[in-house]
Amino acid sequence: METKSTTATHNSQEAPKKKNFRFIIVLAILVIGGGTFGISKYIHAQHHEETDNAQIEANVSPVIPRVTGYVKEVRVRDNQRVKKGDTLIILDDRDLQIKLEQAEAALAAAQANVAVAVANSNSARSNISSSEANISTVSAQIEAAKVNVWRANQDYERYNNLIKDHSITQQQYEQALATKQTAERQLDVLTQQKNVASRQTSAVATQSNATAEQINAAKAIIKERQAEIDNAKLVLSYAVITAPEDGEVSKTYVQPGQLVQAGQSLFSVVLSSDIWVVANFKETQLDKMKLGQKVGVHVDAFPGKELEAKITSFSPATGARFALLPPDNASGNFVKVVQRLPVKIEFVNPDKQPEVKQLRAGMNVVVDVHLD
């Protein structure tokens, strides 16, 4: 009995020793494992910079009408893929068409005014030619009248000498005097006619010049009316809203019959030509980062897959400086906060990485920058 009790007592003393030994082993394993994990993380941190404050970015082009009007037709649906130049929305263009017709009518009226001005100019030129012909005729008549005056003066001088000798009658003398006076008066009349004709020619020439200026003014009005037509056609073309580039349509918030204003954002087209990553690194992580460094991009949509990329640019300012209400450290409530700087990361050979084409703007990613 004593032997059995002694054995039981001995076994009860050995059991705690085995339990403590197991605890030490587990503790050693945890310490070694934790140390190994910490050392590996430390070594990794010496050659890498990581952040999960990153997301996929893409060019987003808003669809904005250039004219105000009622929506006639919507030709796209949510999330539809479109190509550059595809028709997205058609506005009611009847009022724009009327303005184009008014501009065309104004152009026709301006062209008619030019035709009238040209006809008036031609008529004025004809009047100038006629006046010049009249002047030539009167000038010839004046020359003939001068000859008549000279001959009448000669006859008068002879008769005046003969009347003193009573070689001729008084009647003959008076006829010579009358002939002389008639010739002189006729010369005066013709001279006055020539002066009047000259003044008329000058007036017609002035009118012709004014008509020519009217032609130039009418032609200028034609150019103005043509510009109005071109502008009306351009505005009319704005009634058809097309896709600016290849991409996918976001959710459309416009329906037929809705009144849209010029400059109003209707929806957006996410361009598919380029996709990149914007990662916001802490300012304390930037000391070893530089352009061209290799980057691994991990996307939640593709677990276990690392996409190849590289750093292409650094933002000129921190994200806080571009906020709607940037912090003002001069307010007296200054608290030092580690700032983040946006870093642009572009994919390397995206055509060889099919996962890149499946990425969408706004997706969260984790980036790992290789500092070596």
Side-chain angles (χ1 to χ4, degrees):
M1 294 296 293
E2 293 179 358
T3 302
K4 291 182 179 179
S5 62
T6 303
T7 303
T9 304
H10 181 71
N11 292 337
S12 63
Q13 293 177 351
E14 290 181 352
K17 292 182 180 180
K18 292 182 179 179
K19 184 176 181 180
N20 293 336
F21 183 71
R22 291 175 181 175
F23 174 77
I24 293 173
I25 293 174
V26 173
L27 180 61
I29 292 174
L30 291 176
V31 171
I32 294 172
T36 302
F37 178 78
I39 292 173
S40 64
K41 283 296 183 180
Y42 175 79
I43 295 174
H44 181 272
Q46 296 301 311
H47 302 280
H48 297 265
E49 288 291 352
E50 293 183 352
T51 183
D52 58 357
N53 189 345
Q55 63 181 5
I56 301 296
E57 293 289 347
N59 290 318
V60 180
S61 178
V63 176
I64 299 175
R66 297 188 179 185
V67 294
T68 300
Y70 288 92
V71 177
K72 182 179 180 181
E73 185 178 353
V74 180
R75 293 193 175 182
V76 290
R77 301 183 302 274
D78 297 348
N79 309 326
Q80 178 179 338
R81 180 171 290 277
V82 295
K83 294 183 178 180
K84 181 179 180 180
D86 288 350
T87 300
L88 304 179
I89 296 176
I90 299 178
L91 302 179
D92 188 355
D93 61 353
R94 288 176 293 179
D95 54 340
L96 303 178
Q97 186 66 41
I98 292 174
K99 292 181 180 179
L100 175 59
E101 293 175 356
Q102 291 175 342
E104 291 175 344
L107 176 62
Q111 292 174 340
N113 291 335
V114 169
V116 172
V118 169
N120 292 335
S121 179
N122 294 333
S123 176
R125 291 193 184 97
S126 298
N127 292 334
I128 290 175
S129 300
S130 178
S131 298
E132 290 176 349
N134 290 335
I135 291 175
S136 299
T137 300
V138 173
S139 297
Q141 292 176 352
I142 287 176
E143 294 300 325
K146 288 180 179 180
V147 173
N148 291 333
V149 169
W150 175 80
R151 186 176 57 186
N153 284 329
Q154 294 296 324
D155 292 340
Y156 174 74
E157 291 295 335
R158 285 195 301 270
Y159 279 96
N160 188 35
N161 292 329
L162 292 174
I163 193 64
K164 293 178 181 178
D165 297 338
H166 301 285
S167 299
I168 60 172
T169 63
Q170 183 68 27
Q171 183 180 3
Q172 290 175 329
Y173 169 77
E174 291 176 355
Q175 287 179 348
L177 178 60
T179 301
K180 171 181 175 295
Q181 293 176 348
T182 300
E184 291 175 346
R185 291 192 185 94
Q186 186 177 6
L187 178 60
D188 292 338
V189 170
L190 291 174
T191 301
Q192 293 177 1
Q193 288 179 355
K194 181 180 179 180
N195 293 335
V196 172
S198 297
R199 288 194 294 270
Q200 289 179 348
T201 302
S202 299
V204 172
T206 302
Q207 182 180 1
S208 178
N209 294 333
T211 305
E213 294 297 330
Q214 290 178 356
I215 294 176
N216 294 332
K219 290 181 178 180
I221 293 177
I222 285 181
K223 291 183 179 180
E224 182 180 355
R225 297 294 179 262
Q226 185 62 53
E228 292 176 354
I229 288 179
D230 294 339
N231 180 69
K233 289 181 178 179
L234 181 62
V235 174
L236 181 61
S237 68
Y238 293 156
V240 179
I241 303 175
T242 58
E245 292 290 344
D246 297 349
E248 294 184 6
V249 177
S250 67
K251 181 176 178 58
T252 57
Y253 299 95
V254 61
Q255 300 297 330
Q258 179 180 345
L259 176 64
V260 295
Q261 300 291 334
Q264 174 186 350
S265 179
L266 304 181
F267 51 88
S268 299
V269 175
V270 181
L271 309 186
S272 58
S273 58
D274 193 14
I275 294 177
W276 66 93
V277 176
V278 173
N280 301 299
F281 285 94
K282 296 179 181 179
E283 55 186 325
T284 55
Q285 296 178 283
L286 301 174
D287 57 334
K288 296 181 181 180
M289 295 174 60
K290 59 184 179 180
L291 298 178
Q293 286 179 331
K294 182 180 177 181
V295 180
V297 179
H298 303 272
V299 187
D300 293 342
F302 308 105
K305 180 67 176 180
E306 182 178 90
L307 303 178
E308 296 182 5
K310 64 179 180 179
I311 297 177
T312 57
S313 65
F314 294 89
S315 174
T318 63
R321 300 308 302 172
F322 297 111
L324 181 61
L325 296 175
D328 185 5
N329 295 335
S331 61
N333 298 322
F334 171 70
V335 177
K336 184 178 180 180
V337 178
V338 177
Q339 300 296 317
R340 291 183 178 267
L341 186 77
V343 178
K344 185 175 182 181
I345 300 171
E346 297 182 2
F347 293 99
V348 178
N349 298 323
D351 296 335
K352 297 181 180 180
Q353 302 184 80
E355 295 83 2
V356 174
K357 296 182 179 180
Q358 303 180 42
L359 300 178
R360 295 295 183 268
M363 283 185 171
N364 292 322
V365 297
V366 177
V367 297
D368 181 6
V369 180
H370 301 266
L371 301 178
D372 295 338

